[in-house]
Amino acid sequence: MALSGMRGLSVFISDIRNCQNKEQERLRVDKELGNVRTRFKNEKSLTPYEKKKYVWKVLYIYMLGYDVDFGHMEAVSLISAPKYPEKQVGYIVTSCLLNENHDFLRLAINTVRNDIIGRNETFQCLALTMVGNIGGREFAESLAPDVQKLLISSSCRPLVRKKAALCLLRLYRKNPDVVNVDGWADRMAQLLDERDLGVLTSSMSLLVALVSNDHNSYWSCLPKCVKILERLARNQDIPQEYTYYGIPSPWLQVKTMRVLQYFPTIEDPNTRRSLFEVLQRILMGTDVVKNVNKNNASHAVLFEALALVMHLDAEKEMMSQCVALLGKFIAVREPNIRYLGLENMTRMLMVTDVQDIIKRHQAQIITSLKDPDISIRRRALDLLYGMCDVSNAKDIVEELLQYLSTAEFAMREELSLKAAILAEKFAPDLSWYVDVILQLIDKAGDFVSDDIWFRVVQFVTNNEDLQPYAAIKAREYLDKPAIHETMVKVSAYLLGEFGHLLARRPGYSAKELFRIIHEKLPTVSTSTIPILLSTYAKILMHTQPPDQELQNQIWGIFIKYKSCIDVEVQQRAVEYLALSKKGAALMDILAEMPKFPERQSALIKKAEDTEADTAEQSAIKLRAQQQSSNVLVLSDQRPVNETPSSSQLTLVKMPNIGSYTDSTDQEVSHTNGTLNKVDSSPPAPDLLGDLLGPLAIEGPTSVTAQAPQNIMSDMDGVANAVDGGAIVPVGEQTNSVQPIGNIAERFHALCMKDSGVLYEDPYIQIGIKAEWRAHLGRLVLFLGNKSVSPLAFVKAIILPPSNLKMELSLVPDTIPPRAQVQCPLEVVNVHPSREVAVLDFSYKFGNDLVNVKLRLPAVFNKFLQPISVSAEEFFPQWRSLSGPPLKLQEVVRGVKPLMLLEMANLFNSLRLMVCPGLDPNPNNLVASTTFYSESTQAMLCLVRIETDPADRTQLRMTVASGDPTVTFELKEFIKEQLISIPAPHPTTPPSAAPPVGHPTVATPALTDPGAMLAGLL
Amino acid sequence: MIHFVLLISRQGKVRLTKWYSPYTQKERSKVIRELSGMILNRGPKLCNFVEWRGLKAVYKRYASLYFCMCIDQDDNELEVLECIHHFVEILDRYFGSVCELDLIFNFHKAYYILDELLIAGELQESSKKTVARLIAAQDSLVETAKEQASSISNIIAQATK
């Protein structure tokens, strides 16, 4: 051992060590820095030894964490010293002190180049090492050819060549153009014949980088890599010094297998066989041994082999071996192996068909969520997140919720985000989703970002069935003594919107709701007050007839906040006060929020955006592509008219500002200080093609979607967050196989008729034939294989909405070539709802996995039975159904203009029978039908449409039936149809249309229906 | 690739740092602060990996000294863990049962050795023997130069007597 002592340096280091505290150390360092600085000032007087000593001191001080702003120049200048000891110090200190972006390095390029091309191999080594460690772009451009020459030179010794290989790797990373692929690929292949394992190891690292960018040029390296791997795995001809605890260079094995993972497949059968033999040997032959290092090294090789097998994804048997191994690993005591087992299982999820096997280990993985090691818990969380699907979502999410109470702060945010996403994606039913999110807010309010509660509000708004339930839950949480502010926000919002649905329940009267919400007001921050004010305004609006006491109370609050210093609060207070004095106009303005246009979940987007590990990230993306959530599907909808990307949660639905503006509207606009210009022209039909979907926006579409935006933008402090583009619409997944024809159009066509094609692509055609009788339906799916090879892995899963019971008969796993399979599907309509069932259909053709989600045309109108009603039957019925909720009336604006005849045709095709002559006004239309469901039995429904010949974009619609839900759903359904008529409107020839009301019809005065209708409406 | 190598004592004192990715001085201090905080607080029976800022720190404790190498998320962790051990074995061979003090007073030696082991954040040599031979050769080069220098100065000293 030769420790070349530098006394001055040692003394300085001892001094630092002897310092009692940080302050003393700083003083000592400052003193030394002063000393070195003065010495460097007259550099000429320094001996080489002194110079060396001082730059080492500078490096030491720098390493201790002190700012050193001088000495760089001296270090760099040592590089050009003629003698080895100085040069060595110069190179090493420079490469420690500087990084590639320092200007000083430029000064050294010439010297470095001279050292590289010079004949002195020790100098070559020093120069290559430094460039390899901190070389930047400029080095890459000027030195790469010289470095390449050294690497392939036959006269250079291995010690130079291995450094040249890694140096070139560095330069290649900085600028891939420095390696000219054409010339280099052959050279690279030759390098793999290298006998010196040091050079081979370095060259292999270089090759990893090269193939990761472009594997195509390096196919010739592939068989050689397999040969190397074979040689290592069999321990053939490996010098003793290159074995590590008896294992032939584990590093080289790992790197070689890494290279192989960048090639998509291995074509040559012999190479392939050899490789699989080696992999098999590694998988089977790796045992757990006592020696830690040996164990680590052999498992490093094993895990790399696992990764390679997963990548090749060819041998089914081997894959299941891998999963079995991983299953073993996640249960062992050794924490490293446990960690890696979990990590690799997560990666393995990308190979689709192992998911079921991994699920068997769910219990063990959940145990790991309680591991003492946070690294392991993180992996377990990721894995659970990745393996979650509809079948296990409930269990996993509940585990996550439980874990949330004990998890450390560092993990809570991620944990709650993931739980929220899973709950959203895989909710078996929506009420469960609401439960989960509210629990999340309750348990970890601080870590629940606004996005999460915005999202739950969106869901509740878009799913009527959910609204009463959510309101009850919100009310329950408000009863708790201390709740998180986010809970106050979400509860207040939900009760404001939907509390009135429960007004008849004890404890849910407007007064009580107000009281319980208002109790929280003193505890909340300014940002929550606006939400509470909106809630009060809504409560007030729903209290009809007005309750004087409540009104005074709420007005008192508005008056109090009229002078609030916070602009947002003040503006709301002023506006709500003014609005609430308008009486009936309030109704229209403060009506429920329209449905939110469906968009990509901001949460999922957030999860994707978070800088996460690559495996996890791609796993998420993969999942997102493969299975868009059933929740999203239920409320899938394309935003109307390219809704602005950042939409906001506003509490007040603005009235329709179309061509028609009444005085209230104008006043509102003025109150807000903005005059809105909204394009009132009817939206282009193709944009609306998808609107026929299950959940159309309530009210006039294009207008409402934008109006809140425009008007409320400056008034809206609740949220400026939830953004994101539209989620991929149903049936338009990013499959490599493109569908033939427009899926949405096909669906719309099938809504109007009972047989046709639901979906078609180059390989398969799915046809449908349906029969409907009362509340029962029988559909037959015709799955036709168009190709000449079988379609494998055929899977059809029905995701029924809550209102339909559906039973699909067995779908065969494989469809033979050119064959057609029939799969009957039984449908029972349980209760009235406009939700739509979705068929999740997937199959595999060759390597293409095709997955489409198709809406099934088991829609509302299929359960209608047109019925002709005479005047004698109609009017008593019409009269007996008086007022909401059995009879609902609404002015619909933004209607696609239709001539009366066309509208009558549309109604008939929707199974609403137009009854001509009942209404004396030629501009009106009356229709009747019967709705069937299990809960309602046969329910007579009556519809009246009053149109305005001067403005065909608006009409008044009245719907009546003996069941409030039926009335509401039917009204919404008709509205959807009127607002959004599918692009190719399936017009029945006019001749087939029944005659529509003759203008001259006038029944005797005694039973003048016109007069009666007028009186009733 | 290995982005950087850190040697940190149990008390949190930095014993060696080597950076293969460009970090500014400020970033370097921040990295050291954050990572040493995370690693030193970990119990003895936990795994050797810590996830940090989208990277992964692989570390191992030897007596009072923590050796840490930071790699990409999808790098092979165990391979790097054994890189650390490989480095320690070479140090051990060179110093003769190495201890923290050896590395404190001969940190420059540790740098020489590390440079024979890693370049560009990749392993360059997996044979301990080869590394030892190369380091010995370097040492002898330095010694020879020193002897030469001292002999010349002797000559000069004698001549000017």
Side-chain angles (χ1 to χ4, degrees):
Chain A
M1 188 177 75
L3 296 181
S4 49
M6 268 181 275
R7 226 183 84 77
L9 183 59
S10 300
V11 169
F12 172 61
I13 294 172
S14 315
D15 284 356
I16 293 287
R17 277 176 55 75
N18 291 333
C19 289
Q20 300 293 317
N21 52 44
K22 198 78 195 160
E23 191 44 38
Q24 273 186 12
E25 186 185 290
R26 170 168 287 283
L27 285 173
R28 181 67 187 85
V29 165
D30 283 345
K31 185 180 153 205
E32 195 62 40
L33 283 177
N35 178 28
V36 174
R37 199 190 296 265
T38 37
R39 288 311 199 111
F40 278 160
K41 267 198 184 127
N42 36 28
E43 207 187 323
K44 293 231 168 70
S45 67
L46 287 177
T47 65
Y49 169 78
E50 283 172 320
K51 230 178 171 179
K52 263 165 56 184
K53 184 175 75 181
Y54 290 129
V55 297
W56 276 123
K57 279 185 180 171
V58 167
L59 177 59
Y60 190 78
I61 291 169
Y62 174 75
M63 219 170 69
L64 290 178
Y66 293 93
D67 274 352
V68 180
D69 51 4
F70 68 98
H72 301 165
M73 185 66 187
E74 284 73 15
V76 172
S77 71
L78 274 178
I79 292 176
S80 39
K83 290 215 176 86
Y84 182 79
E86 286 81 43
K87 201 182 255 305
Q88 183 195 31
V89 174
Y91 270 119
I92 287 208
V93 175
T94 301
S95 72
C96 291
L97 275 182
L98 305 186
N99 72 30
E100 67 186 48
N101 303 318
H102 273 89
D103 285 340
F104 276 124
L105 278 181
R106 248 183 237 146
L107 303 175
I109 289 192
N110 262 333
T111 323
V112 173
R113 175 148 196 269
N114 286 335
D115 282 342
I116 286 178
I117 59 177
R119 293 285 165 83
N120 185 330
E121 72 173 11
T122 52
F123 288 6
Q124 283 175 333
C125 286
L126 289 175
L128 289 170
T129 306
M130 188 192 81
V131 176
N133 286 338
I134 58 165
R137 265 192 95 88
E138 255 174 276
F139 279 83
E141 274 137 33
S142 53
L143 297 179
D146 300 320
V147 176
Q148 283 177 6
K149 258 181 231 154
L150 289 185
L151 174 54
I152 53 175
S153 151
S154 53
S155 59
C156 274
R157 289 208 295 157
L159 80 150
V160 178
R161 293 178 54 216
K162 67 187 181 190
K163 287 188 197 313
L166 290 178
C167 184
L168 185 60
L169 164 60
R170 167 96 190 185
L171 301 181
Y172 176 74
R173 279 180 185 151
K174 295 299 155 193
N175 180 4
D177 298 338
V178 301
V179 172
N180 178 2
V181 175
D182 296 335
W184 191 252
D186 293 339
R187 299 273 163 84
M188 195 64 234
Q190 281 166 26
L191 276 173
L192 297 179
D193 297 329
E194 175 63 46
R195 300 304 294 166
D196 182 276
L197 286 187
V199 179
L200 191 56
T201 307
S202 301
S203 303
M204 201 59 87
S205 293
L206 174 63
L207 183 57
V208 171
L210 294 173
V211 292
S212 72
N213 265 9
D214 159 34
H215 66 268
N216 272 327
S217 313
Y218 297 95
W219 280 104
S220 58
C221 295
L222 194 146
K224 294 196 171 185
C225 286
V226 175
K227 284 234 165 61
I228 294 170
L229 198 58
E230 264 187 297
R231 190 179 135 203
L232 289 164
R234 299 221 170 103
N235 200 353
Q236 278 170 344
D237 190 19
I238 306 292
Q240 180 59 35
E241 59 184 296
Y242 281 96
T243 57
Y244 181 82
Y245 289 89
I247 299 162
S249 184
W251 297 283
L252 184 53
Q253 293 196 47
V254 167
K255 284 182 209 303
T256 312
M257 286 192 272
R258 195 44 73 100
V259 169
L260 294 173
Q261 286 169 55
Y262 286 105
F263 291 95
T265 53
I266 296 170
E267 303 284 354
D268 178 50
N270 287 331
T271 313
R272 197 180 164 82
R273 197 179 330 108
S274 315
L275 177 61
F276 275 105
E277 267 173 38
V278 172
L279 291 174
Q280 188 69 42
R281 183 191 288 260
I282 297 172
L283 291 188
M284 299 306 288
T286 309
D287 297 318
V288 178
V289 291
K290 271 213 164 141
N291 183 295
V292 180
N293 302 104
K294 182 169 185 177
N295 221 15
N296 284 343
S298 63
H299 281 81
V301 174
L302 175 58
F303 276 109
E304 204 61 46
L306 278 171
L308 182 53
V309 173
M310 283 187 234
H311 165 76
L312 295 170
D313 186 20
E315 309 275 305
K316 191 103 190 155
E317 202 175 304
M318 230 179 202
M319 288 298 287
S320 43
Q321 253 180 42
C322 289
V323 187
L325 269 176
L326 290 176
K328 206 174 81 189
F329 289 159
I330 62 170
V332 298
R333 280 183 58 189
E334 221 285 295
N336 286 342
I337 304 294
R338 216 159 59 231
Y339 174 94
L340 293 170
L342 291 168
E343 180 179 48
N344 282 282
M345 258 197 189
T346 313
R347 286 181 189 157
M348 199 150 208
L349 280 173
M350 294 187 214
V351 185
T352 41
D353 45 354
V354 296
Q355 193 152 0
D356 288 332
I357 320 178
I358 290 179
K359 273 192 208 161
R360 286 185 215 147
H361 302 286
Q362 192 169 317
Q364 181 59 44
I365 299 165
I366 285 173
T367 318
S368 300
L369 200 55
K370 294 151 193 159
D371 197 278
D373 188 344
I374 185 170
S375 298
I376 292 180
R377 288 198 299 272
R378 281 221 159 94
R379 288 294 109 227
L381 174 59
D382 263 5
L383 178 51
L384 284 174
Y385 179 76
M387 67 191 278
C388 193
D389 62 17
V390 191
S391 74
N392 55 12
K394 243 180 160 152
D395 294 338
I396 289 181
V397 171
E398 264 145 40
E399 280 297 336
L400 296 186
L401 281 177
Q402 211 178 32
Y403 173 43
L404 192 59
S405 330
T406 51
E408 53 271 84
F409 291 130
M411 275 182 78
R412 285 199 184 176
E413 183 163 6
E414 191 189 354
L415 195 58
S416 42
L417 181 65
K418 286 191 164 158
I421 291 174
L422 293 179
E424 173 182 332
K425 281 174 82 174
F426 302 115
D429 55 85
L430 291 175
S431 53
W432 176 79
Y433 168 72
V434 171
D435 285 346
V436 168
I437 302 298
L438 292 181
Q439 276 189 61
L440 262 183
I441 297 173
D442 189 37
K443 287 187 173 176
D446 283 340
F447 300 93
V448 173
S449 60
D450 281 347
D451 300 343
I452 295 180
W453 83 261
F454 292 170
R455 194 71 184 155
V456 77
V457 164
Q458 286 178 21
F459 268 106
V460 175
T461 308
N462 286 10
N463 293 280
E464 283 94 6
D465 295 356
L466 203 55
Q467 291 164 357
Y469 180 81
I472 292 174
K473 281 283 156 188
R475 168 82 170 74
E476 280 172 12
Y477 275 105
L478 279 178
D479 275 339
K480 286 189 159 193
I483 57 171
H484 194 269
E485 188 162 340
T486 305
M487 186 63 89
V488 177
K489 287 183 192 172
V490 68
S491 305
Y493 187 102
L494 290 174
L495 287 175
E497 286 288 308
F498 312 114
H500 65 97
L501 300 174
L502 304 161
R504 293 203 186 136
R505 281 170 170 253
Y508 286 83
S509 71
K511 261 187 181 168
E512 276 164 298
L513 289 184
F514 168 73
R515 181 187 55 77
I516 194 165
I517 295 168
H518 192 51
E519 262 176 20
K520 304 289 176 192
L521 189 119
T523 65
V524 299
S525 65
T526 324
S527 68
T528 307
I529 295 178
I531 300 178
L532 297 187
L533 293 185
S534 303
T535 303
Y536 300 160
K538 295 223 165 188
I539 290 179
L540 196 57
M541 180 270 287
H542 285 299
T543 325
Q544 296 300 343
D547 176 320
Q548 214 53 51
E549 191 192 332
L550 183 64
Q551 183 171 314
N552 290 339
Q553 239 176 324
I554 291 177
W555 280 0
I557 296 162
F558 288 158
I559 289 165
K560 180 180 155 203
Y561 282 107
K562 252 169 77 175
S563 49
C564 178
I565 192 158
D566 184 273
V567 186
E568 175 66 34
V569 175
Q570 185 187 38
Q571 188 172 358
R572 289 207 194 199
V574 170
E575 288 174 0
Y576 292 155
L577 187 62
L579 285 172
S580 60
K581 290 185 172 162
K582 293 248 171 269
L586 187 66
M587 283 284 239
D588 211 11
I589 295 160
L590 287 174
E592 260 170 47
M593 287 298 291
K595 285 180 178 111
F596 292 89
E598 194 48 58
R599 54 177 81 89
Q600 185 189 9
S601 165
L603 301 183
I604 293 173
K605 200 163 165 275
K606 190 171 168 183
E608 282 168 1
D609 289 349
T610 10
E611 198 57 56
D613 74 300
T614 45
E616 179 215 50
Q617 215 173 349
S618 38
I620 291 177
K621 277 184 187 148
L622 204 80
R623 284 327 212 53
Q625 285 165 7
Q626 275 178 358
Q627 14 185 294
S628 66
S629 104
N630 53 346
V631 176
L632 291 179
V633 169
L634 287 176
S635 54
D636 169 78
Q637 180 161 50
R638 199 180 284 179
V640 189
N641 260 9
E642 301 297 329
T643 314
S645 64
S646 81
S647 64
Q648 295 154 314
L649 276 178
T650 51
L651 279 147
V652 181
K653 177 179 104 177
M654 292 317 293
N656 324 294
I657 307 166
S659 48
Y660 164 86
T661 323
D662 68 21
S663 59
T664 327
D665 293 342
Q666 270 172 348
E667 216 167 312
V668 171
S669 314
H670 290 309
T671 329
N672 285 290
T674 37
L675 240 135
N676 301 282
K677 259 184 152 178
V678 179
D679 184 12
S680 61
S681 62
D686 57 333
L687 270 174
L688 291 164
D690 251 32
L691 259 177
L692 199 63
L695 296 173
I697 285 195
E698 183 192 15
T701 51
S702 63
V703 182
T704 28
Q706 290 187 337
Q709 192 87 41
N710 297 344
I711 300 182
M712 307 302 282
S713 56
D714 48 349
M715 179 179 159
D716 188 340
V718 187
N720 54 354
V722 203
D723 66 331
I727 194 155
V728 187
V730 164
E732 291 184 26
Q733 258 84 19
T734 44
N735 287 327
S736 53
V737 175
Q738 287 304 314
I740 299 170
N742 183 322
I743 295 176
E745 276 177 29
R746 290 186 190 277
F747 169 74
H748 295 313
L750 281 167
C751 288
M752 304 290 188
K753 55 182 188 176
D754 284 332
S755 64
V757 175
L758 181 66
Y759 172 81
E760 184 167 13
D761 67 27
Y763 309 122
I764 197 164
Q765 187 189 56
I766 305 178
I768 266 194
K769 206 170 183 171
E771 294 175 293
W772 306 95
R773 201 178 312 120
H775 66 284
L776 301 175
R778 184 186 160 88
L779 283 99
V780 183
L781 297 176
F782 295 87
L783 310 175
N785 182 354
K786 294 162 64 180
S787 73
V788 287
S789 45
L791 300 181
F793 297 105
V794 177
K795 260 189 210 146
I797 300 161
I798 303 284
L799 308 169
S802 58
N803 61 312
L804 298 178
K805 265 193 263 177
M806 302 181 104
E807 205 172 328
L808 181 64
S809 66
L810 200 67
V811 177
D813 191 47
T814 312
I815 305 177
R818 301 250 170 229
Q820 193 184 56
V821 182
Q822 298 186 9
C823 307
L825 170 67
E826 304 289 345
V827 185
V828 181
N829 188 21
V830 183
H831 59 85
S833 163
R834 283 168 299 127
E835 284 178 47
V836 173
V838 170
L839 168 69
D840 185 350
F841 185 79
S842 57
Y843 69 91
K844 207 165 179 177
F845 183 84
N847 283 330
D848 291 331
L849 181 73
V850 183
N851 177 269
V852 284
K853 300 218 169 37
L854 304 163
R855 282 176 286 173
L856 286 172
V859 289
F860 191 84
N861 61 317
K862 302 284 182 185
F863 302 101
L864 296 177
Q865 196 67 50
I867 183 169
S868 165
V869 182
S870 66
E872 290 78 8
E873 292 158 353
F874 186 92
F875 289 109
Q877 284 284 346
W878 187 256
R879 209 173 334 188
S880 68
L881 303 167
S882 57
L886 296 180
K887 187 193 268 173
L888 295 172
Q889 185 171 79
E890 187 175 345
V891 175
V892 185
R893 299 186 184 104
V895 172
K896 158 117 181 143
L898 280 182
M899 295 314 288
L900 214 55
L901 192 67
E902 291 176 281
M903 194 180 287
N905 284 337
L906 174 67
F907 273 44
N908 283 317
S909 64
L910 293 172
R911 304 187 188 214
L912 296 158
M913 184 174 273
V914 176
C915 310
L918 280 184
D919 197 314
N921 186 334
N923 291 315
N924 294 353
L925 192 148
V926 171
S928 60
T929 190
T930 324
F931 176 79
Y932 288 90
S933 76
E934 255 186 357
S935 67
T936 58
Q937 297 301 336
M939 185 61 67
L940 180 69
C941 308
L942 305 173
V943 181
R944 185 186 193 219
I945 306 285
E946 295 159 279
T947 63
D948 177 1
D951 182 0
R952 295 226 164 263
T953 63
Q954 58 169 324
L955 49 80
R956 185 156 78 161
M957 168 164 79
T958 315
V959 177
S961 84
D963 179 278
T965 328
V966 172
T967 306
F968 177 77
E969 294 287 345
L970 180 60
K971 183 193 75 165
E972 294 300 308
F973 177 72
I974 296 174
K975 197 160 67 183
E976 282 168 17
Q977 306 302 317
L978 290 175
I979 288 166
S980 58
I981 284 143
H985 175 47
T987 29
T988 36
S991 58
V996 191
H998 299 292
T1000 46
V1001 171
T1003 16
L1006 187 64
T1007 50
D1008 177 4
M1012 285 182 78
L1013 276 172
L1016 291 169
L1017 294 171
Chain B
M1 74 173 279
I2 298 166
H3 293 277
F4 52 83
V5 177
L6 299 180
L7 267 66
I8 300 166
S9 79
R10 209 156 49 110
Q11 289 78 31
K13 292 232 185 301
V14 180
R15 297 305 181 207
L16 198 79
T17 59
K18 182 87 183 173
W19 308 83
Y20 298 102
S21 290
Y23 289 84
T24 63
Q25 189 154 327
K26 227 172 155 181
E27 288 164 345
R28 290 179 181 186
S29 326
K30 195 170 160 225
V31 168
I32 294 169
R33 205 170 46 243
E34 284 187 18
L35 267 182
S36 55
M38 283 175 79
I39 292 173
L40 298 181
N41 287 325
R42 280 172 68 83
K45 283 190 181 150
L46 307 183
C47 70
N48 295 93
F49 321 123
V50 177
E51 291 166 25
W52 170 81
R53 290 179 179 271
L55 298 176
K56 210 170 264 187
V58 176
Y59 74 95
K60 190 160 183 184
R61 183 178 164 179
Y62 291 89
S64 56
L65 207 54
Y66 285 85
F67 286 68
C68 167
M69 293 186 181
C70 193
I71 53 171
D72 290 315
Q73 284 275 7
D74 51 356
D75 283 342
N76 188 316
E77 296 89 344
L78 287 176
E79 177 202 8
V80 176
L81 187 60
E82 288 319 290
C83 267
I84 291 179
H85 188 72
H86 184 49
F87 180 39
V88 173
E89 283 188 337
I90 293 171
L91 290 173
D92 198 56
R93 185 184 281 217
Y94 182 79
F95 288 102
S97 73
V98 67
C99 66
E100 193 182 340
L101 272 185
D102 291 326
L103 296 180
I104 294 172
F105 285 98
N106 298 288
F107 71 99
H108 51 304
K109 284 285 165 197
Y111 273 122
Y112 294 147
I113 295 171
L114 191 57
D115 269 357
E116 287 304 322
L117 195 71
L118 301 177
I119 290 182
E122 303 285 349
L123 184 75
Q124 111 176 252
E125 182 57 76
S126 59
S127 154
K128 291 190 270 282
K129 215 158 128 189
T130 309
V131 175
R133 206 171 55 230
L134 292 171
I135 296 290
Q138 286 177 17
D139 281 345
S140 73
L141 267 176
V142 175
E143 281 303 309
T144 327
K146 211 154 104 189
E147 274 161 29
Q148 271 176 6
S150 54
S151 60
I152 292 169
S153 61
N154 282 345
I155 294 163
I156 296 168
Q158 278 165 0
T160 51
K161 227 175 210 173

